[in-house]
Structure formats: C-alpha cells, structure tokens
C-alpha cells in the first residue's frame, strides 16, 4: 500500500517500521523483545490512518514520517542523543510525590535530565530536559532547573510540545506547560499539546510557534483550551480563539485550581479526564451579558476609557489613537502622500507594539519598491551597497520579514478574496493590522456600482465584519473627488472632507475614523486633520496638526508648536536613527527642510511620495 498523504499531511518516509505490506497484525517493536511471548502479534495496524496500537503495552505508533509545510527559516538542531532513561532517585521522587507523574510517563515522553548552563544563575545546573519532537526528529529542548528557571535550545525552532500525539486526532487539548501535558496523559487523555512558553500580561502575545506548526491544527474539529486559570491564561485563551476561530474552541474551567497538574493532584486522574472530555463551548458570538463586560466596565469606572495604540508622534497621538475591532480611512488631496504616511504609521506600530501587518496595496507594486520604502523608514536611510551584507541590514531585513507581508493577485483584486486571505494570515501568522490601498482598485464584486451608496455601504459592512471577527485594525486608503486649490495657491489643495471621498457619504456614516491630509507647498509641510473619530476616548474630530517629511528615510516628523495660522517654514528635528539599534547609536540632528521635488529630476517625481 502507498499513499501521497494521510489526513492532509504529505508523507515523507512510508512504513518506517518495515511491516509487511497490508498486514493487520504484527509484533510490537516497542515491547515484544522484552516479553516471554516474543512472537505474539499484539500490534494492530491501521494503514488508512497511518497508526498502529499495541494491545499489550498500550502505545500508539506512527507508521510514517511527514513533510513539513511552509518552512522558510533555517534553525539550529539540538545534537542527536540516545534516550537512555537512567533517572536519578531524586528526579523520580520529585515527579511522583510533587507532580503525580510516573516514571513510565517520563519514558513515554522521552523526558531526560542532565547538566546545562543556565544564564539566570550564571552557572551550570542540574536540569530536566523536555524534548520537543516532530516525527522522530528532535526539534528543540526546554531546560528547567530546580529554581524554575527555563530556557530553550539556542537558535532552535520554537514549536509546541507533543505535536506527534495530535497529528491524526480530530480534537486536541492545548495547555500551558509540559507537566500539564504529562498530567493529561496520566489521566488517560493522549491528544494534548503545550505552548513552549507561558502567557504574560505585558504587551502583545508572541505566538510565532503557532505559525511554525499550524498544519497540525488544520484538521481539528474541536480545539479544547485548558490553559492556566489566571489573568495571563485568560489573555492567551482569547488570542488562541482569535487565531484558530472561536467556532472551533471549547474551554476547560479548572475552578479552584491553577492548571491541569494541580487539578489532577487535588481531585484525581479520573476527575481530570472528565474535565478534559466535557469542556464548555466558547461563549456565543453576538450575545453578551453584563458579566462578559464586567471587567471593562469596572475598569472604566476606576480609570476611564483606555487610549488606543499611538505612533510616538505627539501631535498625531493627541489627535487620534487606534483600537482593535475598528478601521481607519486615509483621505488626501492628490500627491499628498497618503500611502507613504500610512507606511510610516504601520512601521511605528510594529516597532512600538510588536504587531504584524499585511498589505493589499495595488498602488505599491512591484513590491520591492514598497519594501525599499519600508526598509528606509526602519533602518533610517537607504543602505550603501558596501553594507548590504552587514549585521544591521540583515537584522532589519529579518525584522520586516517577521512582521510584514503582502497579499497580491495576478488578476482582478476582489474584496472578499482579499479579506479571506487576510483571515488566513490571522490564523497562520497572527497578523492584527491590515492595509487596503486603495478603495477604488479593490472591487466588491456582486454589488452594482451604479448605486454608489449601496456599493459603499456593503463594502464597509464586509470590512466591519472582518475587523470584529479577527479583533484587528484595518486602514483603507481613499481617493477624493476633484478638489480645488486654496485661494492664493496654484498647488496646495483645500483640506478634503469625508464627503469628498469617491464612494459617497457612506464613508463618513459607516467608518470609525477618518484622517485627512494635504501637502502644503507654501509652508513645505503636510497638514493633517481628524475628519472623524467615533469614540472620544480614542481622539477628537476636527483637530489639525502639521508634520514634515524626511527625504533621508521617508519618515514623517513632528512639527512642534505650529498651527494653521502660521506662515513660515519651521526648523525640524529630523529622526535619522536606525530604530533597531540601541539608543543612542545615532543622533538625530536639526537639518533644513529639503523639498522632495528639489532632490529628484522631473521624470523621477513619481518615485517619491508626493
């Protein structure tokens, strides 16, 4: 028998135990040599699922190895080792008496012990080694010393623990520690996996390890979250539900216990198994009660509504901030640089909040030109040819690779197809910020454009549904209808209003935020105005501010103490730092404003943002 794939997993090496083709019974390669009846065919083989089960030792064997999907990076591998289980008496006693874990379970999971340098104590220490496998390949090791210090093998791929056990199951349990996986196994539940590091309350959760092993969850009908019963665990629970989709998620409540291991120790193995087998569905979407909102409500009473994400430029931050489950429109007069400004906002959000971003930017093709703009913003300038192979160019490249990607199509750009691809990026890569650029080139097929209001309304409904479902923020670039220049100027346009946008007044009625911008040629600045901010705690509508564009790197810089009545060109403190370097490696300096048109030939003017 031969097969290209089983359950969606492409086979790499077929029949690794070399069993006779199509046989249904065989001796067990794990226990038969130690038995008196060595020839007893205790192993039942299921070729269709790629598994075999031993009726004597109770182990499940994987018949094949499988190819990895979407591997882009090269990682270090821990050295190959023989897994000989000569555990110290102290280790066996600690696991048995303190954690309720048997020696047989340690052997099943290939838990080992040894000595390892631990940076937290700056010396070599006795450690437990939790070995992370995919098929028979050792991918990573987590080291744990007696003081509960942890580290992973340097440079190794970060994946989830015990992945082999969940490959072919229709459901799995996700816990927050390797010992919780061992506890699930002790209770009789064999399809559990753990995140490689616990959740925390500070900042955004980094779940890159899900991207590395997302293929193991694609076939799951039900994903049961049994994470730690604390605030950090609840935060992780919400993010996992966002990544995998709430419709697949079920929850385990450990009641008076922190985690699976504590619950097993307090209530017993049978009770833990009952908990895992009887989870509760994730709370109903679209239906909430005051209980669901109680923490936010009491926090609002105590501290007021929290401000959203800011970019670090004082003038804009005072005018507007960005929150999840919302979207922001960028509207500007022709040639004002709205796409360039949006790149600046995105780069700053990534740098400040460690969020991942996906673009669908018809205006920024070919993509290498766009990556040049983004690279300059983060690096501080365009790299010289002789430093292309330098450490910090490489570091900037990896930073962008980890945090930014593009969605593109060879043919027509259709909104539903783009949003579907965006949703895949939410699940696979944890993307939370999205850019659609521009509105008029990403079509909403199936809705007649002859009725402008209906077309725009439906467009916004799809975007609103997307950001709420994925708990993300999206930026949409708009083009205006024909604008007039300001009185006394031949180049500077009047500030557009939301009703100047192509697509009708529905843009104003449906959206959360709108930012307008105009390039002010006379003052050599960019003029911004909040045309709409739906929620007062996130900003204020009708606020004007000014910024200057830095030709060295394409960043927008704050212009201090400047208002709409001023007429002079201010001195600007330019930011030319490499954002990925520790401060102060490069000093910002005060330079005269350089008008972009003065730095390029007339034929090249379209290569700059204005």
């Amino acid at each position: 028998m031969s097969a290209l794939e089983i359950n969606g997993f492409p086979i790499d090496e077929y029949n690794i135990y070399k069993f006779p083709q199509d046989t249904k019974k065989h001796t067990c390669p794990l226990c038969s040599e130690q038995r008196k009846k060595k020839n007893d065919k205790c192993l039942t083989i299921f070729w269709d699922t790629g598994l075999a089960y031993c009726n004597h030792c109770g182990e499940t064997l994987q018949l094949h190895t499988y190819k990895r999907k979407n591997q882009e990076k090269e990682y270090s591998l821990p050295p190959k080792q023989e897994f000989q289980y000569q555990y110290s008496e102290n280790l066996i006693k600690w696991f048995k008496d303190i954690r309720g874990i048997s020696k047989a379970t340690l052997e099943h999971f290939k838990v080992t012990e040894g000595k390892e340098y631990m940076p937290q104590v700056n010396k070599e220490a006795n450690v437990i080694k939790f070995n992370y496998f995919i098929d028979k390949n050792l991918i990573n090791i987590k080291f744990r010393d007696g003081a509960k210090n942890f580290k992973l093998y340097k440079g190794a791929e970060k994946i989830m623990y015990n992945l082999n056990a969940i490959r072919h199951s229709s459901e799995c349990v996700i816990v927050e520690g390797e010992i919780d996986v061992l506890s699930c196994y002790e209770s009789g539940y064999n399809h559990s996996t753990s995140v490689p590091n616990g959740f925390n309350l500070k900042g955004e959760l980094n779940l890159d390890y899900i991207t590395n092993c997302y293929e193991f969850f694609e076939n799951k009908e039900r994903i049961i979250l049994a994470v730690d019963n604390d605030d950090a665990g609840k935060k992780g629970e919400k993010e996992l539900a966002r990544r995998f989709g709430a419709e697949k998620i079920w929850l385990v409540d450990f009641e008076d216990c922190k985690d699976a291991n504590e619950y097993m120790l307090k209530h017993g193995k049978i009770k833990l198994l009952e908990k895992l087998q009887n989870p509760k569905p994730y709370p109903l979407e679209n239906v909430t009660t005051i209980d669901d909102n109680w923490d936010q409500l009491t926090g609002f009473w105590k501290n007021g509504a929290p401000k959203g994400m800011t970019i670090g430029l004082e003038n804009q931050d005072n005018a507007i901030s960005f929150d999840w489950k919302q979207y922001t429109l960028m509207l500007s007069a022709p040639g004002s640089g709205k796409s360039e400004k949006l790149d600046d906002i995105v780069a700053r959000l990534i740098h400040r909040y460690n969020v991942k971003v996906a673009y669908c930017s018809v205006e920024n093709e070919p993509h290498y030109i766009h990556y040049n703009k983004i690279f300059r913003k983060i690096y501080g300038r365009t790299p010289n040819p002789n430093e292309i192979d330098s450490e910090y160019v490489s570091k900037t490249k990896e930073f962008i690779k980890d945090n930014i990607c593009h969605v593109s199509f060879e043919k027509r750009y259709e909104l539903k197809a783009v949003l579907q691809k965006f949703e895949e990026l939410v699940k696979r890569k944890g993307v939370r910020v999205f850019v659609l650029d521009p509105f008029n080139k990403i079509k909403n097929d199936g809705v007649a454009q002859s009725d402008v209001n209906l077309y725009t309304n439906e467009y916004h409904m799809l975007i609103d549904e997307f950001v709420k479902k994925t708990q993300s923020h999206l930026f949409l670039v708009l083009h205006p209808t024909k604008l007039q220049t300001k009185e006394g100027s031949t180049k500077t346009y009047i500030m557009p209003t939301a009703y100047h946008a192509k697509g009708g007044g529905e843009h104003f009625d449906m959206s959360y935020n709108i930012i307008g911008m105009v390039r002010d040629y006379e003052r050599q600045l960019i003029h911004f105005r909040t045309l709409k901010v739906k929620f007062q705690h996130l900003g204020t509508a009708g606020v004007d501010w000014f910024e200057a564009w830095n030709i060295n790197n394409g960043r927008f810089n704050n212009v201090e103490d400047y208002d709409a009545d001023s007429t002079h060109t201010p001195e600007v403190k330019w930011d030319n730092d490499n954002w990925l370097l520790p401060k102060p490696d490069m000093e910002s300096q005060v330079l005269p404003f350089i008008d972009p048109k003065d730095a390029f030939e007339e034929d090249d003017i379209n290569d700059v943002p204005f």
Side-chain angles (χ1 to χ4, degrees):
M1 177 181 177
S2 179
L4 293 177
E5 65 175 39
I6 290 179
N7 203 18
F9 293 91
I11 291 174
D12 184 17
E13 183 181 352
Y14 182 76
N15 191 9
I16 59 177
Y17 294 102
K18 310 302 180 187
F19 295 134
Q21 201 81 329
D22 293 334
T23 187
K24 296 182 179 179
K25 294 284 187 178
H26 202 272
T27 55
C28 175
L30 300 183
C31 69
S32 292
E33 281 299 315
Q34 287 77 44
R35 297 182 61 193
K36 291 182 179 179
K37 298 181 179 180
K38 297 183 184 299
N39 296 322
D40 187 10
K41 294 183 178 181
C42 53
L43 190 75
T44 303
I45 301 173
F46 305 94
W47 294 101
D48 57 336
T49 62
L51 300 172
Y53 176 76
C54 179
N55 297 290
H56 180 260
C57 65
E59 292 291 342
T60 299
L61 280 67
Q62 185 173 293
L63 301 179
H64 321 301
T65 61
Y66 296 87
K67 298 176 182 177
R68 299 289 304 279
K69 295 181 183 178
N70 303 316
Q71 263 196 307
E72 299 176 353
K73 295 183 179 180
E74 291 187 5
Y75 299 94
S76 300
L77 286 173
K80 292 183 179 180
Q81 51 189 286
E82 295 293 328
F83 290 96
Q84 298 177 350
Y85 309 110
Q86 299 175 348
Y87 298 118
S88 66
E89 291 184 6
N90 286 340
L91 184 77
I92 295 173
K93 180 176 175 59
W94 183 84
F95 267 108
K96 181 180 179 181
D97 296 347
I98 306 300
R99 295 294 190 168
I101 305 298
S102 66
K103 180 184 176 188
T105 294
L106 299 180
E107 293 177 350
H108 173 83
F109 285 93
K110 293 184 169 61
V111 178
T112 52
E113 61 179 322
K115 289 186 176 293
E116 181 71 17
Y117 175 80
M118 299 298 287
Q120 297 91 334
V121 294
N122 198 29
K123 65 179 181 180
E124 195 174 70
N126 294 321
V127 296
I128 300 168
K129 300 179 183 179
F130 294 102
N131 298 294
Y132 283 60
F133 294 90
I134 291 181
D135 293 330
K136 291 186 175 182
N137 300 315
L138 181 61
I139 304 297
N140 208 331
I141 303 172
K142 180 185 277 189
F143 305 94
R144 180 193 190 277
D145 67 15
K148 290 193 71 174
N149 294 312
F150 299 92
K151 78 170 187 178
L152 293 165
Y153 190 84
K154 186 176 180 180
E157 182 180 10
K158 193 181 290 184
I159 61 172
M160 296 180 73
Y161 185 63
N162 196 36
L163 284 173
N164 287 340
I166 72 166
R167 185 191 290 275
H168 297 293
S169 60
S170 61
E171 72 169 37
C172 70
V173 165
I174 297 179
V175 295
E176 208 175 326
E178 295 84 359
I179 291 178
D180 291 326
V181 170
L182 273 57
S183 302
C184 293
Y185 182 81
E186 285 279 350
S187 77
Y189 192 92
N190 299 331
H191 304 302
S192 64
T193 182
S194 170
V195 299
N197 44 24
F199 302 125
N200 62 74
L201 287 172
K202 295 181 179 180
E204 289 293 312
L205 294 176
N206 186 349
L207 304 187
D208 285 351
Y209 46 83
I210 291 180
T211 302
N212 295 342
C213 51
Y214 188 80
E215 63 199 86
F216 286 83
F217 298 93
E218 289 180 300
N219 63 344
K220 297 296 176 281
E221 298 173 6
R222 190 164 77 159
I223 297 174
I224 302 165
L225 305 184
V227 297
D228 287 3
N229 187 18
D230 54 21
D231 290 342
K234 297 302 179 187
K235 180 181 178 182
E237 193 176 84
K238 289 181 180 179
E239 179 61 11
L240 289 171
R242 190 185 78 87
R243 290 291 297 270
F244 292 123
E247 68 279 0
K248 284 188 174 184
I249 299 298
W250 294 66
L251 304 177
V252 169
D253 179 7
F254 287 123
E255 300 168 358
D256 58 339
C257 298
K258 181 190 176 187
D259 53 28
N261 183 251
E262 185 178 333
Y263 193 90
M264 181 184 74
L265 293 173
K266 186 171 184 178
H267 300 286
K269 298 177 183 180
I270 294 176
K271 288 292 184 181
L272 175 57
L273 181 60
E274 290 176 356
K275 271 286 180 188
L276 300 175
Q277 291 178 334
N278 296 281
K280 296 179 180 179
Y282 200 72
L284 272 175
E285 290 189 86
N286 310 318
V287 178
T288 62
T289 69
I290 193 170
D291 284 342
D292 300 313
N293 296 274
W294 189 247
D295 289 343
Q296 293 97 321
L297 178 58
T298 54
F300 172 70
W301 290 339
K302 293 175 183 176
N303 308 309
K307 197 174 181 68
M309 293 184 293
T310 55
I311 66 169
L313 294 179
E314 183 180 1
N315 291 345
Q316 178 177 317
D317 293 345
N318 289 336
I320 189 170
S321 60
F322 308 107
D323 203 357
W324 304 125
K325 301 184 183 180
Q326 295 186 12
Y327 57 97
T328 298
L329 311 186
M330 297 290 297
L331 174 64
S332 79
S336 294
K338 50 189 170 294
S339 296
E340 190 80 13
K341 172 60 177 176
L342 193 46
D343 288 344
D344 188 74
I345 291 174
V346 161
R348 293 175 186 275
L349 290 177
I350 295 170
H351 186 236
R352 287 168 69 84
Y353 296 99
N354 194 33
V355 294
K356 297 183 185 298
V357 178
Y359 281 87
C360 180
S361 183
V362 186
E363 302 263 281
N364 276 304
E365 296 181 352
H367 290 154
Y368 78 90
I369 299 295
H370 192 201
Y371 279 117
N372 173 58
K373 295 179 181 180
I374 295 169
F375 198 101
R376 291 185 340 119
K377 284 178 172 57
I378 295 169
Y379 192 73
R381 57 181 171 80
T382 300
N384 297 320
N386 62 356
E387 60 183 353
I388 288 175
D389 296 325
S390 68
E391 175 186 356
Y392 284 107
V393 167
S394 177
K395 186 175 181 179
T396 306
K397 176 196 171 188
E398 289 302 310
F399 179 81
I400 294 173
K401 180 181 176 182
D402 289 343
N403 293 294
I404 296 176
C405 60
H406 284 76
V407 169
S408 60
F409 297 89
E410 292 184 2
K411 297 182 180 180
R412 182 181 177 91
Y413 281 74
E414 203 280 315
L415 180 62
K416 290 180 182 177
V418 172
L419 294 180
Q420 183 179 6
K421 187 59 64 174
F422 278 177
E423 190 167 340
E424 290 179 25
L425 292 171
V426 171
K427 295 178 178 181
R428 285 187 170 273
K429 295 182 176 294
V431 177
R432 293 204 76 176
V433 175
F434 298 91
V435 176
L436 292 175
D437 182 12
F439 163 77
N440 62 310
K441 290 188 179 180
I442 302 171
K443 304 296 185 182
N444 185 16
D445 288 347
V447 181
Q449 296 188 51
S450 56
D451 188 333
V452 173
N453 288 337
L454 175 61
Y455 179 85
T456 308
N457 184 287
E458 289 293 327
Y459 204 103
H460 280 266
M461 292 288 284
L462 288 172
I463 293 175
D464 196 36
E465 178 184 342
F466 169 78
V467 294
K468 287 177 177 176
K469 181 179 180 181
T470 59
Q471 300 180 47
S472 59
H473 195 96
L474 183 144
F475 293 92
L476 173 64
V477 174
L478 299 180
H479 290 311
T481 55
K482 188 174 181 180
L483 295 174
Q484 294 181 342
T485 56
K486 291 175 63 175
E487 185 177 351
S489 175
T490 60
K491 292 184 177 181
T492 301
Y493 289 96
I494 63 169
M495 176 66 69
T497 70
Y499 292 98
H500 283 113
K502 290 179 180 178
E506 293 295 312
H507 285 306
F508 181 82
D509 298 337
M510 298 287 290
S511 62
Y512 291 86
N513 314 301
I514 307 177
I515 299 174
M517 61 183 292
V518 168
R519 181 185 179 190
D520 192 319
Y521 284 83
E522 284 69 40
R523 288 179 283 190
Q524 300 179 354
L525 297 172
I526 302 90
H527 179 192
F528 294 90
R529 179 180 296 162
T530 47
L531 303 179
K532 179 180 180 180
V533 181
K534 185 172 183 178
F535 296 106
Q536 292 182 2
H537 68 282
L538 297 176
T540 306
V543 175
D544 292 277
W545 74 95
F546 291 82
E547 294 176 6
W549 184 71
N550 186 346
I551 197 170
N552 297 311
N553 48 38
R555 294 174 186 167
F556 286 72
N557 293 124
N558 213 47
V559 177
E560 300 177 0
D561 301 323
Y562 195 83
D563 59 48
D565 296 326
S566 301
T567 58
H568 67 284
T569 300
E571 191 176 59
V572 179
K573 186 176 183 181
W574 300 110
D575 172 18
N576 296 311
D577 293 357
N578 181 334
W579 286 346
L580 303 185
L581 285 176
K583 304 287 185 183
D585 285 77
M586 302 169 67
E587 293 186 0
S588 298
Q589 52 186 319
V590 177
L591 298 172
F593 183 88
I594 303 175
D595 193 15
K597 67 180 177 59
D598 295 334
F600 292 84
E601 298 295 332
E602 189 67 30
D603 291 342
D604 297 329
I605 198 70
N606 290 327
D607 292 334
V608 299
F610 308 122

